[in-house]
Amino acid sequence: MAQNKVQYQRGLSMLEFFDGYGTPERCEAAVRAWRWPEGFVCPRCEGTWHSEFRRGRRLYFQCSGCRYQCSLVSGTLFESSNLPLPVWFTAMHLITQAKTGVSALELKRHLGVSYPTAWLLKHKLMQLMFEREATRQLTGRVEIDDAYLGGEVQGGKPGRGSPNKVPFVAAVQTTESGQPVFVCLSPRPFTKDALLAFAERSLAAPATLVSDGLGCFTAVQGTGIRHEPHVTGGGAASAKDPRFLAVNTVLGNLKTSLSGTYHAFGFAKYGYRYLGQVQYLFNRRFDLRTILPRLARAACQSNPCGLRAVRTAEQYC
Ligand SMILES: [Zn+2]
């Protein structure tokens, strides 16, 4: 049987991970190189002359020009916690290499931290992944479907119209032959206004939207996006329809991943973050070896995200 090149590619092995990021010094060297590739630059006066010292485990810099002090991680996502960098890096490694996601409970066990700490760490990283994907635009052939996050509700109606579920749009850019390339997952109601807003944000002409003909998808008419509805009648027949193979595969994997990894979470409040994480990892699946350094570099360039910001679940910290 032919191996799927994406699925069977070499990831970043545990040994390679420890080799690159297994000690506080190696993590510090990596963060330093990403933050200040040309050497320390004072965030206040942009001077480069400085001295270095440690307070506890943390590395600090003092600008020789204006006397400003900052730590290696101040002003980055790693700032607002006292967690050592190797804990952050191990969490990022586990999250980026896992095929089906890692729950906060698993992180707690692997990292030897409390559950609230693991939860917060995970949500900060998911928020970062969501933000990195916020400008993603799909073009060319795009399969689109509506779906729901949330457990089955006994007695509830399946599919569209079910109560207690968070509706989201799944759009998959494919090659002309239907191979998935990039995905966009966006929580929103299935109304024409919401779909129009989705199209303006996440689709770039020339694009052809392939849908099952749900009324709201016609909203793209007049925006320069072509709409190609195929009315399938829903159910098992539409799930097997080759014209929707890419989006149905992505939705199937998403369902397996969420139901196997997470037993319960606030879909209504945090669903966009889980979808953001799935989207981030999917869109970088072609190169598993660089996901960790890319995410860590993004964390170095991202603002600190405090507990309140994580809890209020604004779509941007
Ligand atoms: Zn300075």
Side-chain angles (χ1 to χ4, degrees):
M1 198 176 81
Q3 286 189 345
N4 179 316
K5 275 188 187 160
V6 174
Q7 286 194 25
Y8 284 85
Q9 69 176 299
R10 253 183 85 205
L12 187 68
S13 73
M14 270 322 243
L15 289 179
E16 287 169 316
F17 167 75
F18 284 125
D19 211 32
Y21 313 103
T23 65
E25 293 74 25
R26 285 173 194 174
C27 295
E28 278 179 359
V31 169
R32 196 176 174 127
W34 288 322
R35 259 201 104 173
W36 297 303
E38 311 292 328
F40 173 80
V41 179
C42 173
R44 186 183 282 169
C45 77
E46 298 190 347
T48 54
W49 284 101
H50 70 283
S51 54
E52 299 175 15
F53 62 96
R54 281 185 190 275
R55 196 177 288 150
R57 282 181 302 211
R58 196 162 269 193
L59 176 61
Y60 282 83
F61 298 78
Q62 178 167 324
C63 172
S64 305
C66 72
R67 318 299 293 168
Y68 182 71
Q69 286 185 359
C70 66
S71 82
L72 176 65
V73 295
S74 62
T76 74
L77 189 74
F78 306 129
E79 176 189 291
S80 54
S81 79
N82 287 317
L83 287 177
L85 281 174
V87 173
W88 276 104
F89 275 72
T90 308
M92 289 188 285
H93 181 60
L94 293 170
I95 288 170
T96 54
Q97 297 298 310
K99 184 153 166 41
T100 54
V102 181
S103 68
L105 197 60
E106 279 175 280
L107 277 183
K108 167 197 175 307
R109 291 179 188 143
H110 284 300
L111 303 175
V113 298
S114 69
Y115 181 80
T117 299
W119 186 92
L120 192 57
L121 182 97
K122 183 175 160 56
H123 275 258
K124 284 181 182 183
L125 290 171
M126 287 199 301
Q127 177 71 26
L128 175 62
M129 290 190 257
F130 165 78
E131 288 174 15
R132 300 299 289 185
E133 281 293 311
T135 53
R136 170 77 57 191
Q137 288 200 312
L138 307 181
T139 188
R141 184 178 182 277
V142 178
E143 295 178 17
I144 193 162
D145 204 357
D146 56 308
Y148 290 86
L149 274 179
E152 299 293 330
V153 179
Q154 279 200 332
K157 289 181 288 176
R160 288 166 193 156
S162 302
N164 297 332
K165 291 192 170 190
V166 179
F168 70 98
V169 168
V172 183
Q173 177 182 328
T174 75
T175 61
E176 280 308 311
S177 59
Q179 292 296 314
V181 183
F182 295 120
V183 67
C184 256
L185 303 168
S186 177
R188 58 185 68 231
F190 308 131
T191 63
K192 285 194 174 182
D193 284 349
L195 260 294
L196 190 58
F198 173 79
E200 282 167 355
R201 184 187 175 100
S202 305
L203 299 177
T208 300
L209 211 52
V210 183
S211 87
D212 63 0
L214 181 65
C216 61
F217 294 135
T218 58
V220 297
Q221 278 165 0
T223 63
I225 309 287
R226 257 190 81 221
H227 181 217
E228 192 183 296
H230 298 277
V231 181
T232 59
S238 68
K240 285 182 183 154
D241 192 317
R243 291 168 298 196
F244 307 113
L245 188 61
V247 73
N248 282 329
T249 305
V250 166
L251 286 174
N253 291 344
L254 177 72
K255 198 175 172 189
T256 311
S257 158
L258 291 182
S259 63
T261 314
Y262 310 104
H263 296 294
F265 63 76
F267 281 109
K269 191 169 180 187
Y270 302 121
Y272 76 92
R273 267 189 208 140
Y274 287 88
L275 292 175
Q277 172 184 268
V278 170
Q279 180 177 325
Y280 182 95
L281 296 176
F282 186 89
N283 291 342
R284 284 158 188 75
R285 72 199 182 286
F286 298 112
D287 195 354
L288 284 176
R289 295 176 64 76
T290 63
I291 295 186
L292 169 69
R294 286 167 77 184
L295 182 63
R297 182 182 295 147
C300 291
Q301 291 156 357
S302 169
N303 290 325
C305 179
L307 175 63
R308 252 184 70 198
V310 172
R311 284 263 179 224
T312 48
E314 297 286 332
Q315 297 227 343
Y316 294 92
C317 268

